Amino acid sequence: MPGKIITVAQSKGGAGKSTVAVNFAIDSAKDGYNVLLCDTEKSGTTLDYQSRDDDSLTIIDGYDKQFPKMLDVYRNSFDLIIIDTAGANVDIDGDGENFQETLNHKILSKTDLLVIPVEPSPVAIRKSYRFFQSIEKYIDMARGNLDALVVVNKYSTKTKLSKELISDLPDITDIKISENRIRLAEVVKRAEMDLKSVNEIAPGENVAVDLRRLRKEVLEMANKEA
């Protein structure tokens, strides 16, 4: 069976795209999947993880005009292709003159499942609204070949903004919203410093459970059993 392409995208930087992509890729490789993790942002930080020694995890730079064409080849070599796209100042509903926007357009045309992290802040909500509208157009044009999932990242039960985001999201997008929220936790930063997944260094932490549950949901949506 050809591998599934799972793209993590958001027009606003700092939403946690790389956190989601890296943890998903590392934990899936640990679970026996043959995984390709691609960073398509110029000088993307995900490439730092290339220093890891994982037999089932390959990490490449996808900031290349030939990258979208190679995705069909990668499908035949990997179980899962995880793509970490560019964040700040990238609008996939743009005019196509920007290389990064064009790259995102082409990647989305080959994506099976799009994961959209959003953080609880007023700026994030405003910037995400237009992004959601763009994605909804892609989903309509894909005619069943593209699915999408919104996940709340950096969630805290103690903050009003987190509660308001959960309440408001269904009113600003028709895209499916995950009930699995990723909690705000210091251990996430510590894992990134160590170039590991949260589940590798602190599997008992609540945020590690959040990431496991999200991975299970994403794999089920992508027709892979966790």
Side-chain angles (χ1 to χ4, degrees), residues 7 22 39 61 84 90 104 118 133 152 162 172 181 187 192 203:
T7 298
V22 165
D39 194 328
D61 186 349
D84 182 10
V90 174
N104 278 13
V118 59
Q133 290 182 315
V152 176
S162 289
I172 64 175
R181 300 151 195 163
V187 71
E192 290 172 354

Side-chain angles (χ1 to χ4, degrees), residues 29-30 48-59 195-196 200:
K30 291 285 184 183
D48 294 342
Y49 290 81
Q50 286 180 321
S51 61
R52 288 177 57 96
D53 184 18
D54 295 292
D55 292 339
S56 297
L57 177 62
T58 303
I59 302 172
L195 299 179
K196 294 182 179 293
E200 284 181 302

Side-chain angles (χ1 to χ4, degrees), residues 96-117:
E97 294 180 359
N98 179 285
F99 173 71
Q100 191 75 71
E101 292 177 3
T102 301
L103 187 60
N104 278 13
H105 275 287
K106 292 179 179 179
I107 290 169
L108 279 173
S109 71
K110 294 180 178 290
T111 294
D112 297 303
L113 176 61
L114 178 65
V115 178
I116 309 169

